[in-house]
Amino acid sequence: MLRRVAEGVLVHESEFVQSNAVVVQGRSGVLLIDPGVTGSEIDCLADDLQELGQPVVAGFSTHPDWDHLLWHDRLGEVPRYGTARCASTIRDQLSEPGAKARIADHLLETEIAGQVPLDLLGLITGLPAATEQIPWDGPQARIIEHQAHAPGHAALLIEERGVLVAGDMLSDVLVPMLDLADADPIEDYLTALRLLEDVASDVDVVVPGHGSAGGSGQVQARIEQDRAYVLALRNGHVPADPRIGPSAKPGWEWVSDVHEGQLQRLGRC
Ligand SMILES: [Zn+2]
């Protein structure tokens, strides 16, 4: 089911880690950001768009993690964009023998084993590094690229609609998950948060890759919450964060394990 979050912007939420597919209406069809997860959900999304008479005219993946790189025949053969670094990262991964089989294996440990269409995974066209907008016929979608959760991660600002599509940042349920392969994951994450903060005053609705959309007051609050978490990691403090520990939402207790893992990998415990 598509839910409107702003004029001309709709969200389709997956049952799998509350993944959000974002639909932006343009003049002759929609831009589809991070299409979603299971085959039946993508099917449902395709049905909804058909009913609205809105074909998909372009896609965008916010970053090179499998759950943001999916596609389905029914969404059509249209350009699917990502940052140049996103595209090259997934291209390199897929060139390794058995890459998709490893993703399928990983999915066996989840409740959606066998339900995820992997055929068209990661067929992303990289936009040249200095590209500021997604090339499409609709409201301008400004690309805010940074190094934070994954290589070539990008948020999109749909300025006319006051919407920030945040990729896997600014979530109400997931703490910042750092790209631990990055040379300086903490400083890079803080820099990324500053880039998002620079546009926060233009944002009425923030849509994270996973979790609930937030209203205008939420944008700055989530930036501050993420920053406090990252600073606590940096300083080796125990973060007072509602997303981990006993205050985590039911079903999200595993986020505390993610946090523990990050502490260990960063050598701060
Ligand atoms: Zn994700």
Side-chain angles (χ1 to χ4, degrees), residues 45-85:
L45 174 60
D47 286 342
D48 288 351
L49 292 175
Q50 204 167 28
E51 225 165 88
L52 291 172
Q54 298 271 351
V56 179
V57 292
F60 186 79
S61 286
T62 55
H63 63 285
D65 284 347
W66 69 267
D67 53 327
H68 299 262
L69 295 168
L70 299 166
W71 201 258
H72 194 285
D73 277 337
R74 286 201 55 203
L75 299 172
E77 258 186 65
V78 300
R80 294 165 56 192
Y81 300 114
T83 64
R85 198 154 171 216

Side-chain angles (χ1 to χ4, degrees), residues 175 243-246 248 252-262:
V175 292
R243 298 168 292 187
I244 52 178
W252 293 85
E253 294 82 2
W254 56 272
V255 178
S256 298
D257 299 336
V258 169
H259 162 63
E260 291 297 332
Q262 297 196 120

Side-chain angles (χ1 to χ4, degrees), residues 72-188:
H72 194 285
D73 277 337
R74 286 201 55 203
L75 299 172
E77 258 186 65
V78 300
R80 294 165 56 192
Y81 300 114
T83 64
R85 198 154 171 216
C86 169
S88 66
T89 301
I90 188 59
R91 200 170 42 240
D92 289 352
Q93 278 174 22
L94 290 176
S95 69
E96 288 168 21
K100 274 191 194 171
R102 277 194 295 281
I103 295 172
D105 276 355
H106 160 75
L107 288 170
L108 288 177
E109 294 158 26
T110 70
E111 71 272 20
I112 53 167
Q115 298 176 45
V116 180
L118 296 177
D119 285 355
L120 301 176
L121 176 135
L123 304 177
I124 302 295
T125 301
L127 293 166
T131 308
E132 289 180 5
Q133 311 278 350
I134 294 190
W136 85 298
D137 186 19
Q140 286 196 347
R142 196 203 304 176
I143 301 164
I144 305 173
E145 182 176 355
H146 43 257
Q147 303 310 324
H149 168 70
H153 191 279
L156 291 182
L157 176 67
I158 323 292
E159 212 159 351
E160 260 176 84
R161 305 288 181 240
V163 174
L164 180 67
V165 180
D168 278 4
M169 299 174 71
L170 311 189
S171 169
D172 56 331
V173 282
L174 285 178
V175 292
M177 290 163 75
L178 275 53
D179 177 8
L180 295 170
D182 185 359
D184 199 347
I186 288 190
E187 288 312 317
D188 284 348

